[in-house]
Amino acid sequence: MKITFTLNMDVIEHEVEPNITLLKMLREDFDLTGAKEGCGGGECGACTILLNGKPVVSCLMLAVQADGQEIITIEGLARGEVLDELQKTFISTGALQCGYCTPGMIMTAKGLLAENPDPTREEIKTALSGNLCRCTGYKRIIEAVESAAKSNG
Amino acid sequence: MKYVGKSIVRVDGVKKVTGDLKFVDDIKLPKMLYAGVKRSPHAHAKILKINTILAERHPGVRAVVTGKDFPKRAGLYLADKTFFAVDKVRFAGEAVAAVAADTVEIAKEAAELIEVEYEVLKSIHNAKEAMKKDAPIIHPALGDYKVVPIFKTIPGTNISEHFKLRKGNVEAAFEKAYKIFEKDFYVPHIQHTPIENHVAIAQFDREKNLTVWASCQSPYAVRAALSDAFDVPLHKLRVISPAVGGGFGAKAGTTLEGIIIPLAMKVGNRPIKLTYSREDEFVSSYVRQALHSKFKTAVDKNGKLLAVQNEFIWDGGAFTEYGVNIAKSAGFAAVGPYDVENIHCDSYAVYTNNPVGGPYRGFGMAEIHFGIEQNMDHIAREMGMDPIELRKINAQKPGGTTATGAKVDAACGLEECLDSVVNEIDYHTPSEQPADPNKVRAKGVACGMKAPSMPNNAGSSAVIRLNEDGSAFLSVSAQDLGQGSDTALTQIAAEGLQIPVEKITIKTGDTDHTPYEWQTVASRITYSTGNAIVKACDDIKSQLVNLASQKLDVLEEELILDDEHVVWEKDPSKRVPIKSLALGLQLADGSGIHGPIIGRGTFVPEGVLNFDSETGLSEKPVVFWTYGAYGVEIEVDKQTGNIKVLKATTCFDVGKAINPELVKAQCEGAVVQGLGSAIFEEIIMKDGKFRNPNFTDYKIPTSGDMPEMTIKIAENPQYDGPYGARGMAEPAMIPAAPSIVNAFYNATGIAMNRLPLTPERVVNALREHNK
């Protein structure tokens, strides 16, 4: 099937099999490997990307559903060497360890801040509760989001 | 110090927040094939026949292998496993055959076309029952297996290790005891669940050089195991671990690498990838062994522990190549962080038809402390004593002795850690109760200890190369699994060389190009690799000083490194930039001497001694012990059975925090991981079959479960650690579960002798006790 969509600001026309997940298409056809497959069932959030500005788990979407939509992946956040505010605060607060959940975590946080630029701690916890991290204990991740919200504000 | 002790940001931050870091599953190689695995549906069965014809004929399939092709046994401490089942299967999910195909989908379809005929055997799923005389024997050939001589297998049984600790005279102590306490505990199987599942790629070249890309903690140990299993010489086997998406012990040994190498042998020079699904990860990688523990404790009138007799029965699962060491390590710490004169401990690794047990963060220690630390609270209550006081009376202190009879050295900060958490949660002030009458709050405390569990001669090495612009490459094979070793080790090098962190690039994880490291396990990297780096820096310094003394015409011993220069102490204006010496020194006559500067450092802990095989005693069986404590406050909802951990505070004696924020981050992660093991996590099995191999049914903590955390650090320097540092990342998890269970008792008056405290179990316990 031929689909047309925006991927990290580029307009793309692409031929894709109807049974391929969006995650698989991004990783294999576009080498955008920042989104990870941690569970394949929408349970861990490691594959989170933004679809029309909202965080979605790309392992549960078919690639063809991207037709006509706008997608941003972790690779689309930084402008060259200039990191997004969330990327900066994830580094400055030490909100990452192994790094496997980090891209998905940042994309979920990005979606949250787009909708709610000044979230409370509880709102951040709730928004991130679908993104599993086994390393950090979440504290610094929540602080990173708070800190990014502050800098953005 | 300029670099050590500073909380610099992680050196691997940018590549991790941008998605730039390529993990193994992100690697795409030309002409790559994919593996599919046929696994056993039975927990214990004889393989009668395997028919692979349909799979072989399936379009897109390039190779098929079965266990018959590679019957050689391998294993780190006990060579009891094969990568494919050979004549029988020993757990549900064991690999029986595999295919290599053009796509993942074809590989999966083809694997299902492999027909296996089984004769189902009686299986056994409880370690205590597996020790009984009439139990089916899971490894009848145990006596023929190669084993590291410190372990005692008992051929003809399911016991693959029996560690004995015999100290003092337990019987005599029980006779004169004021009181005797007896308690049993059970800790179920749980799993590491790194967010990155296991993954590996294998490829041979025309000259039979084998390259393996694996998400693994220990490239050299993996190389050794694979070399042995597949008879590939070490110089023709390259293991690359480009990044590890969480390990916690799960990626310490070899798992799926052995499945794809036999396939790679059959497909010419094409690479083959195998990525575990989450279900594969749950079922077929390591789990944390279940533990049945039993304690009999003799106490005098003042609360001094006179004697402990205990038994640890470890459910090792189908293979215990790593598990035997967990049983042994538990024996070394038989009574936890307490000084007890008379100890009689038996620790058994036992085969069952359950999933394979392996090392999990703080292995052995979190499991035994669940009993030890509840026991301390129980004894205190029965004696009418304050549990903190009881712990202090019995705590290991400088000058005291450990379970194996080793002297406790001056750096034991257990009491300091305990005081810290008691103050931080204000333990002796009862919790303020919430308005809701169904909710009750209380506090709990627990201590813990751990030593690196490793061979006495586990070695590390480091190579540092100076560049002519004054920057440097630091090469080690310590793997950053998230714990922050890339950052901490770079800081150690920066301090030794007096070159800023930004000018040092650390290279890891490639057995062809980075030097030997035994394993990234046991919380040993900061200590062991750190020491190797200190020596490499000393090596560089001696070369630089030698050249600078010739250039400046001053004595070598009067020269120091400072601020990227070699400086004459007596007159700091006399100095040579390090960069000008990086390629050697050019003399006044134009001739050159020395050439490029390369620093070499190797380290092996000194004086770690074998233990007596009959008594388990040793003056120094381990390099060091790390001590620490937890304090928590929890809220129990008596209606729903939900437990919420409100506050957690930890204090560990880390010797020296090379990077305090990284130390704190390890503790925070450990609190939440430990919380999971206390209230959510349990592998539910029926006849050895995993019933909850996904994150919906096996819940791990989310951001909503995070308590308020306060992390404290004690720093009593390790005499032989780099800048005084000792390991801490695993110890940080050990007291988590017992502190929560102790708080649960304080909230409800109910002792829970098994984990986890799920809502169902809590509600049932409250009902049973009419609360």
Side-chain angles (χ1 to χ4, degrees), chain B residues 634-650:
Chain B
I634 68 166
E635 180 176 280
V636 183
D637 184 326
K638 296 210 260 186
Q639 256 182 336
T640 63
N642 276 309
I643 293 174
K644 182 126 186 77
V645 180
L646 304 170
K647 283 184 193 164
T649 177
T650 72

Side-chain angles (χ1 to χ4, degrees), chain B residues 639-681:
Chain B
Q639 256 182 336
T640 63
N642 276 309
I643 293 174
K644 182 126 186 77
V645 180
L646 304 170
K647 283 184 193 164
T649 177
T650 72
C651 183
F652 285 83
D653 189 343
V654 306
K656 170 74 191 171
I658 301 292
N659 182 319
E661 287 302 313
L662 285 182
V663 167
K664 289 181 183 174
Q666 282 309 295
C667 293
E668 292 156 9
V671 165
V672 175
Q673 200 169 11
L675 178 159
S677 73
I679 59 184
F680 304 133
E681 296 179 38

